[in-house]
Amino acid sequence: MPVTPTRRSVLAAAVATGAGLLTGCSSANSGSSSPKKGGTLSAAFPGAGVKETMDPHAQRQFVDIARHKAVFDKLVELDSTLRPVPRLARSWSSDDEARVWRFELREARFHDGHVLDADDVLYSLSRILDPDAADHLAKNSLSHVDLANCRKVGRRGVEIALTRPNAELPSQLAMTGTPVVRDGWDDPSKPVGTGPFRFASFTAGLGFTGRRFDDHWNGAPHLDEVRILSAESEARAAAVRSGEVHFAHEMTPTFARTVAHDGRVRVVATKRSGVQGFALKTDRAPFDDPDAALAVKLLVDRKRLVDVVCAGRAEIGNDLYGKGYTYYPDGLEQREQDVAGARRLLRRTGLYNKKVTFYTSTAADGFAQAAHLFTEQAGEAGLKVEVVNGPPESYFTDALSKGTVTNHRCGAMTIPTYIGERLLSDAPQNQTAWKHEDFDDDFTAARAEVDDEKRTARYRSVQTTLRDRGGLVLWGHPEWLNAVSRTAHGVKEAPPNTVDWARFDTVWLD
Amino acid sequence: MLHYTLRRCGWTLVQLAVLSLVVFLLTDLLPGDAATVDFNEQAGLDQVAQLREQMGLDRPLVERFADWAHGLLTGDLGTSLVGGGPVRDVLSSSVPVTAALAVVTLVLLVPLAVAVGLLTGLRAGSRTDRTVSAVTLTLTSVPDFVLALLLVGVFALRLGWLPSTWVGADDVWWQRPELFVLPVAVLLARTVCVLSRQIRAGTVTALHAGYTVQARRLGVPPARLVLRHVLPNAAVPGVQELARTGDQLLGGVLVVEAVFAVPGTATALVEAVQNRDVPTVQGLTLTLAAVACLLNLAADLVSHRLAPRTEVLR
């Protein structure tokens, strides 16, 4: 079946290809030198126009999160394996039930001179959980914080009480929408944080400028100034190649191929930075029968999907989220394409030669392409697929309720967060409509387990259940591609939303 | 002429009122709404419902339109559903950018097109005419985005003479004339070609018209003949074409704004439609439509002035 490219993909490919033809070849420069002080770094991220905000609790887009990361800090961040690492919180511990947590704060200074204290943390939590703030994203994942019983312990100790046990609280405090703000602060037009850059200016849809904060608790940044700009993919590609920006976020495999021999730019590729897959609705026929879902898992040709949709820049998935992350259940046999086995299961479940609807859209690169490839592969096994295109602007919200099969993708987050937000009966983004009380109980028990080994074993069991009986067909773990100019150094490979991602305080220019 | 102008202005107001209603209805018919789009891939249905209520999208369509129309009558274009700021702020940040591009383009367009049109028209059939006509025909056939990407590839990426995009220009774009070069070149390429071909055709016709032949017989000098008799008549179709060109330019020329990341009205309008931000879509559409109507009115009046025999005023 033909695959229709989008206007944007055509333009991006054309920029990359045209530019490739017109520029000379030279060897790639991975770049390393001893850090130098000074300079202004410009970084381009996909923009979101007037939606962009400097309210760190209303984070929506990567461009927002990158800007907030420059100005604010979190108590905790995640390392590249999605394990919590200290930031404003120097250390933490919990009671035996993981119901009361104590965080010790480090001595950090806000840009206005105020020294971080427990009141700032308690205020930040109450602001995040403001019931009237519909756009505060972390309020769901932190809804079990018992604000009334949270308290300060001395000047730098904070006790966070929970309404239910949760061994994952530190990780959840590292997710998007959780930066610490100054006690009483509520003016996004004048952001004041403890981050490595002071706020200088911001225009939604255009750019942000931050200036070096010399009193940052982790040491002053190398740069004098950082500019975080908004730009669509074609503009990012051209701007980073022409040297107008030093860093371009979220580039395509086509771009990476084009600049492979361009000495002016190098691509920093972070492996396993999320997941791509298909979501089968398990609350309705035919995928309320786990065997029907298993048939789909067997019929897909994961390698071909990776090769075509991700241009080969992905690791093959095993219907499990978070390959390489903490709690990923290693050692499970890789699921391979088994058309004969799939056909047997389709016959047994009465699905052979029947039709299902695939609700897709151009909401993300490769979605429509993946849907059409799936249609071909399903056809080989005897499952007919009708592809229906939906509007990209609201696709992810629509896909929560529409379609029998839908596209699924997810960026980097901890495995418990992924399950908690997508696979519990009351999860806000339960795209597979996976609603099983016993599963919820197993997951809740795992999350409450304070012993690391036991918790890991319980999570393994939960994930195995999902892999065998759930509605997620996770076929690939794509690389995350950023472009860096040869004059910029210190940019590390890091999955989005982790501590070294979009981190410009440790970057320097020639 | 005054009566005609007033009548046209009245009709323009009616057109704008109808347009605003149609745009409102069409935007409402699009799948999804501002709340759904705003939280796409970010939150669950409960949070979407809460946001929808906060945005007032749970109110009936008629009530929402009446509110907006009432605001308009009192000079208030409303508030963006997505950004939360006044729609006039979106207009004040995007319209000047597109207007600046359009003005620079128009200022260069007219003399260029007249020069090329006269050059080829006065020497119709010559080698110059054939060569220039071949170039203009070719450029007319090249899609804007192809030309834009080629220019970016050569002048920004290869030679490094000019910026490839407006990324990072912020709100000081007017202090950086180099930003205008490539977008204006793309905007000019097609428009100069189309307009000059119109003027060329008009020139050829006017050169063979009875009044020109008679003037030549009476010994009118060639320069005066061209300026007084050929050009005014040759320019009439050109003026109408110029009005159409103005429409396009003020519409933002989507491709040019997209390729060069120009934060103009077309970019703002596309973004507002994608966000289902109805008040912003309304504000931008009405502004662009009003300007387009004024341009067309101006073109009709200028055409009449140049050649009173045209019948636009009847």
Side-chain angles (χ1 to χ4, degrees):
Chain A
M1 191 169 286
V3 176
T4 311
T6 62
R7 178 191 66 84
R8 188 163 291 173
S9 66
V10 169
L11 284 176
V15 163
T17 311
L21 290 170
L22 289 159
T23 53
C25 297
S26 58
S27 61
N29 175 11
S30 62
S32 69
S33 58
S34 52
K36 289 180 185 164
K37 285 275 180 197
T40 297
L41 177 134
S42 297
F45 285 69
V50 292
K51 274 201 270 191
E52 292 170 14
T53 175
M54 281 307 294
D55 184 338
H57 299 150
Q59 295 176 339
R60 311 276 175 83
Q61 317 292 332
F62 284 135
V63 68
D64 291 330
I65 301 171
R67 287 166 182 160
H68 302 161
K69 194 169 194 165
V71 176
F72 299 94
D73 284 309
K74 295 175 187 171
L75 287 177
V76 182
E77 283 275 13
L78 298 168
D79 69 9
S80 60
T81 64
L82 283 290
R83 201 174 38 205
V85 289
R87 292 295 284 173
L88 288 179
R90 187 191 299 276
S91 63
W92 52 85
S93 59
S94 78
D95 66 357
D96 292 344
E97 285 185 29
R99 195 184 275 273
V100 178
W101 285 82
R102 183 165 166 168
F103 291 81
E104 295 298 331
L105 306 179
R106 67 175 75 246
E107 190 165 323
R109 201 172 283 278
F110 280 86
H111 302 151
D112 63 358
H114 168 73
V115 177
L116 171 77
D117 61 27
D119 288 328
D120 300 315
V121 176
L122 292 173
Y123 173 76
S124 299
L125 283 172
S126 67
R127 190 172 185 277
I128 291 167
L129 295 169
D130 178 359
D132 294 330
D135 56 352
H136 287 186
L137 293 182
K139 73 178 190 177
N140 270 329
S141 56
L142 294 177
S143 60
H144 60 303
V145 170
D146 182 3
L147 275 178
N149 288 309
C150 294
R151 63 190 185 97
K152 53 182 174 181
V153 183
R155 195 152 175 254
R156 298 206 201 291
V158 185
E159 206 169 82
I160 300 180
L162 306 178
T163 54
R164 59 169 167 75
N166 179 14
E168 302 297 343
L169 181 69
S171 301
Q172 286 175 335
L173 290 172
M175 291 308 297
T176 51
T178 55
V180 174
V181 299
R182 178 102 155 69
D183 184 12
W185 176 86
D186 199 27
D187 183 0
S189 69
K190 292 174 187 152
V192 178
T194 59
F197 295 93
R198 288 169 187 269
F199 172 80
S201 67
F202 166 67
T203 308
L206 291 179
F208 153 90
T209 303
R211 300 215 171 90
R212 185 176 64 224
F213 178 46
D214 288 319
D215 290 337
H216 188 240
W217 59 269
N218 201 27
H222 304 306
L223 301 166
D224 288 339
E225 222 174 56
V226 64
R227 300 179 74 210
I228 299 177
L229 311 168
S230 306
E232 290 309 309
S233 64
E234 308 88 54
R236 291 198 304 282
V240 75
R241 296 200 69 186
S242 62
E244 290 154 48
V245 302
H246 304 92
F247 175 95
H249 190 252
E250 211 174 329
M251 307 309 286
T252 62
T254 310
F255 174 85
R257 209 166 40 239
T258 308
V259 299
H261 302 290
D262 186 340
R264 297 172 300 180
V265 179
R266 68 180 193 278
V267 171
V268 176
T270 305
K271 291 188 182 303
R272 301 182 297 209
S273 292
V275 81
Q276 281 263 14
F278 305 127
L280 317 176
K281 290 278 187 301
T282 59
D283 66 339
R284 64 197 71 164
F287 299 119
D288 50 352
D289 180 347
D291 278 350
L294 185 58
V296 172
K297 292 170 191 169
L298 291 177
L299 67 82
V300 294
D301 182 348
R302 292 151 206 271
K303 182 166 187 317
R304 180 151 169 72
L305 282 160
V306 163
D307 286 346
V308 175
V309 179
C310 305
R313 300 198 76 131
E315 285 188 24
I316 291 172
N318 197 19
D319 299 334
L320 291 161
Y321 174 78
K323 191 170 188 179
Y325 301 168
T326 303
Y327 303 130
Y328 184 83
D330 287 316
L332 292 177
E333 191 185 352
Q334 173 63 49
R335 190 164 271 152
E336 303 285 354
Q337 186 184 30
D338 176 5
V339 177
R343 200 175 289 131
R344 267 197 305 278
L345 282 171
L346 289 174
R347 283 209 170 93
R348 190 193 302 163
T349 54
L351 202 51
Y352 189 71
N353 270 338
K354 294 280 167 54
K355 190 163 74 178
V356 294
T357 305
F358 195 128
Y359 183 67
T360 187
S361 93
T362 53
D365 282 343
F367 268 16
Q369 208 171 16
H372 288 296
L373 274 176
F374 175 78
T375 306
E376 285 175 16
Q377 294 169 7
E380 287 173 29
L383 176 65
K384 294 176 182 168
V385 179
E386 180 191 16
V387 176
V388 176
N389 280 290
E393 297 88 353
S394 57
Y395 177 74
F396 293 101
T397 309
D398 297 339
L400 295 174
S401 51
K402 286 186 181 172
T404 314
V405 186
T406 52
N407 292 101
H408 176 79
R409 74 165 184 184
C410 184
M413 59 177 64
T414 67
I415 288 172
T417 303
Y418 178 82
I419 297 173
E421 292 189 355
R422 284 160 178 76
L423 292 152
L424 300 184
S425 300
D426 60 351
Q429 297 189 65
N430 193 345
Q431 200 181 341
T432 55
W434 174 253
K435 293 173 183 171
H436 296 273
E437 273 184 34
D438 51 346
F439 177 87
D440 296 351
D441 294 343
D442 287 348
F443 175 74
T444 307
R447 194 168 51 184
E449 177 59 59
V450 290
D451 182 274
D452 283 349
E453 267 186 39
K454 288 181 186 168
R455 187 168 67 250
T456 304
R458 279 178 179 268
Y459 278 141
R460 182 184 179 91
S461 162
V462 164
Q463 290 176 85
T464 309
T465 302
L466 278 175
R467 178 177 178 270
D468 294 340
R469 303 181 62 78
L472 283 170
V473 186
L474 303 178
W475 50 260
H477 301 279
E479 292 179 2
W480 193 266
L481 306 175
N482 295 330
V484 183
S485 96
R486 70 178 169 193
T487 56
H489 308 281
V491 175
K492 296 176 185 165
E493 292 172 19
N497 300 327
T498 60
V499 64
D500 287 323
W501 168 82
R503 186 172 179 186
F504 299 113
D505 58 321
T506 52
V507 173
W508 68 95
L509 299 173
D510 281 339
Chain B
M1 190 147 165
L2 179 65
H3 179 252
Y4 170 78
T5 309
L6 289 174
R7 194 157 49 94
R8 282 287 301 266
C9 287
W11 269 113
T12 300
L13 288 177
V14 174
Q15 282 175 328
L16 292 178
V18 173
L19 181 77
S20 70
L21 182 62
V22 171
V23 170
F24 190 88
L25 291 173
L26 285 178
T27 314
D28 198 74
L29 280 175
L30 285 173
D33 58 25
T36 322
V37 172
D38 202 12
F39 268 154
N40 200 20
E41 208 182 7
Q42 300 282 334
L45 297 173
D46 291 346
Q47 252 174 304
V48 170
Q50 189 186 1
L51 190 63
R52 186 175 287 131
E53 196 181 323
Q54 285 183 4
M55 288 176 168
L57 296 173
D58 53 340
R59 295 181 304 148
L61 184 70
V62 176
E63 196 179 316
R64 280 185 281 133
F65 183 73
D67 262 10
W68 177 82
H70 180 258
L72 184 68
L73 290 175
T74 57
D76 178 10
L77 284 169
T79 304
S80 162
L81 290 178
V82 180
V87 170
R88 67 170 179 275
D89 286 358
V90 179
L91 289 174
S92 62
S93 64
S94 62
V95 170
V97 178
T98 304
L101 270 179
V103 168
V104 173
T105 307
L106 285 171
V107 164
L108 295 172
L109 169 65
V110 175
L112 274 174
V114 169
V116 174
L118 280 181
L119 179 74
T120 50
L122 293 174
R123 299 180 183 182
S126 68
R127 184 179 291 177
T128 309
D129 176 38
R130 288 201 303 274
T131 309
V132 174
S133 292
V135 171
T136 54
L137 194 62
T138 307
L139 277 177
T140 312
S141 316
V142 177
D144 286 350
F145 83 92
V146 173
L147 183 64
L149 295 175
L150 279 171
L151 291 178
V152 167
V154 174
F155 294 103
L157 301 186
R158 177 76 175 166
L159 300 172
W161 292 350
L162 294 163
S164 63
T165 68
W166 283 43
V167 172
D170 288 346
D171 44 4
V172 290
W173 49 267
W174 45 273
Q175 293 175 348
R176 297 183 55 193
E178 72 274 16
L179 290 171
F180 286 79
V181 178
L182 292 181
V184 169
V186 175
L187 292 173
L188 278 174
R190 183 194 288 266
T191 46
V192 165
C193 295
V194 172
L195 198 55
S196 65
R197 289 176 67 79
Q198 292 268 12
I199 293 172
R200 178 194 175 279
T203 304
V204 171
T205 309
L207 274 175
H208 295 97
Y211 54 84
T212 314
V213 174
Q214 182 62 21
R216 198 180 282 129
R217 279 194 196 125
L218 292 172
V220 176
R224 186 178 164 80
L225 187 79
V226 170
L227 290 175
R228 287 296 301 272
H229 299 283
V230 176
L231 188 55
N233 287 291
V236 173
V239 169
Q240 293 297 328
E241 182 60 35
L242 191 63
R244 279 194 290 277
T245 306
D247 290 353
Q248 288 170 16
L249 294 175
L250 285 164
V253 192
L254 180 62
V255 170
V256 167
E257 289 200 2
V259 172
F260 294 102
V262 179
T265 48
T267 305
L269 188 56
V270 169
E271 185 189 292
V273 171
Q274 284 174 343
N275 288 335
R276 309 291 188 265
D277 189 354
V278 181
T280 306
V281 173
Q282 292 279 76
L284 284 164
T285 313
L286 279 187
T287 307
L288 293 175
V291 174
C293 289
L294 287 175
L295 273 175
N296 281 298
L297 177 61
D300 284 352
L301 297 177
V302 172
S303 295
H304 176 70
R305 185 80 186 156
L306 285 174
R309 63 189 167 77
T310 53
E311 300 190 353
V312 292
L313 301 192
R314 289 189 187 160

